[in-house]
Amino acid sequence: MVRGMNRRPARTATYPDEVGEFGGTSSGRVRPQGNIETLRSGSLRVRVYAGTDVVTGRDLYLRALVKPGPRQAERAEKTRQDLLRQVDEGRHERTSAPVRHLVESHLAVAQVEPRTLRSLTGYARKHVYPLIGDRPMGSLPAQVLDSFYAELRRCRDHCDGSGVQHRTTDEHACDRRCRRHRCRGLGPATIRKIHSLLNCAYTNAIRWEWLTINPMVRARPPAPPAPNPAPPSPEDAVALLTECWRRGIGPYVWVAMTTGARRGELCALRWRDLHVRHNTGDEHDCVPAGCTAKLLIARTA
């Protein structure tokens, strides 16, 4: 390593209300109302103190960059006043923690079935964390979300476009374990599930007073797929039921046809879910006696 590579470059000039290189203040001074710093590129960086990060407990600063151009100093001062106004009115984000921390915190308290939680955790680990997980949760503009959804539609493995699925991400010599790769994107229904995961996480962030705005309202997820049911004709239904009764699974198929229950709901049925109202207390055959029955099916999410 060359000596001095990690040394912070000196700044050329600062505007009034300077708070120091790391935003600190000397003892006995009141914290100034932000500062404007000149960068080597000629841009002006505006920084305003916004309190304590509610997640990390560190000092929190709002930052904005003003590019060179006409009346740059006036635009920078206006930006500083806008940031101060956001802080005074409580409209600023109260943490700079990444999206990964937000999603993990949301999944830790999500009230969903274990199987649903495993699916959501898998979506987050494979798609959310690698692509946008390191971005500050308050910095997720619409353009980033559009690019995120475009990548999900392009390739579910987020390959580099080389057409090869390598056996490792480290430097290596390809062998037969490195296979040809054909990109396959996620379907609209899966992308909508990921969008719902992020939207619920940001809803919690607002409720926890981490943020004041939900950036997901600016997102454009895919439209829900149009339903395309293909029920059997009456003749086919009769033939199917007849064959099922002959094979001994007629009651199962009959309940499925008449109730529209899902497979998991049907497999979860037990005799205690069948409530029969008998018309007589003696031993009898319920059908001739006209007894009534009610089947309770627990709906799943």
Side-chain angles (χ1 to χ4, degrees), residues 57-255:
R58 301 173 181 174
D59 286 348
L60 180 65
Y61 291 91
L62 303 184
R63 294 178 175 85
L65 197 65
V66 180
K67 295 184 178 180
R71 302 194 305 178
Q72 183 187 23
E74 296 181 16
R75 290 187 286 118
E77 177 60 24
K78 183 178 182 299
T79 301
R80 186 180 74 91
Q81 295 296 336
D82 291 342
L83 294 179
L84 289 173
R85 193 175 302 110
Q86 291 182 25
V87 174
D88 293 339
E89 297 175 359
R91 294 185 290 107
H92 65 288
E93 60 269 14
R94 292 172 173 80
T95 180
S96 58
V99 174
R100 175 192 299 267
H101 180 80
L102 171 61
V103 175
E104 289 175 347
S105 300
H106 164 68
L107 292 176
V109 299
Q111 298 182 5
V112 294
E113 295 294 328
R115 182 177 178 180
T116 303
L117 181 60
R118 288 194 297 269
S119 297
L120 295 178
T121 303
Y123 293 150
R125 289 177 178 172
K126 185 172 183 179
H127 306 297
V128 177
Y129 299 160
L131 299 178
I132 60 175
D134 295 331
R135 294 187 63 91
M137 66 176 72
S139 176
L140 208 61
Q143 184 273 333
V144 172
L145 292 173
D146 290 344
S147 300
F148 173 61
Y149 292 137
E151 174 63 18
L152 296 181
R153 293 192 299 269
R154 183 189 70 86
C155 180
R156 64 182 61 190
D157 295 323
H158 315 305
C159 68
D160 56 4
S162 63
V164 179
Q165 185 174 357
H166 295 281
R167 55 185 172 84
T168 177
T169 56
D170 300 330
E171 187 175 351
H172 66 284
C174 290
D175 53 24
R176 62 182 181 181
R177 289 175 293 178
C178 298
R179 299 172 296 175
R180 294 183 60 84
H181 171 73
R182 185 178 66 179
C183 294
R184 291 188 305 136
L186 296 176
T190 303
I191 297 178
R192 289 184 63 86
K193 292 179 181 178
I194 297 175
H195 170 80
S196 177
L197 167 63
L198 291 172
N199 187 46
C200 292
Y202 273 99
T203 300
N204 272 340
I206 295 176
R207 189 168 58 86
W208 296 334
E209 298 183 352
W210 290 3
L211 301 174
T212 58
I213 298 176
N214 183 355
M216 301 308 298
V217 299
R218 300 189 295 266
R220 291 184 176 179
N228 187 25
S233 65
E235 293 77 12
D236 292 339
V238 170
L240 175 63
L241 279 174
T242 301
E243 182 64 19
C244 289
W245 279 103
R246 189 179 66 83
R247 294 175 177 266
I249 58 174
Y252 177 85
V253 177
W254 174 257
V255 172

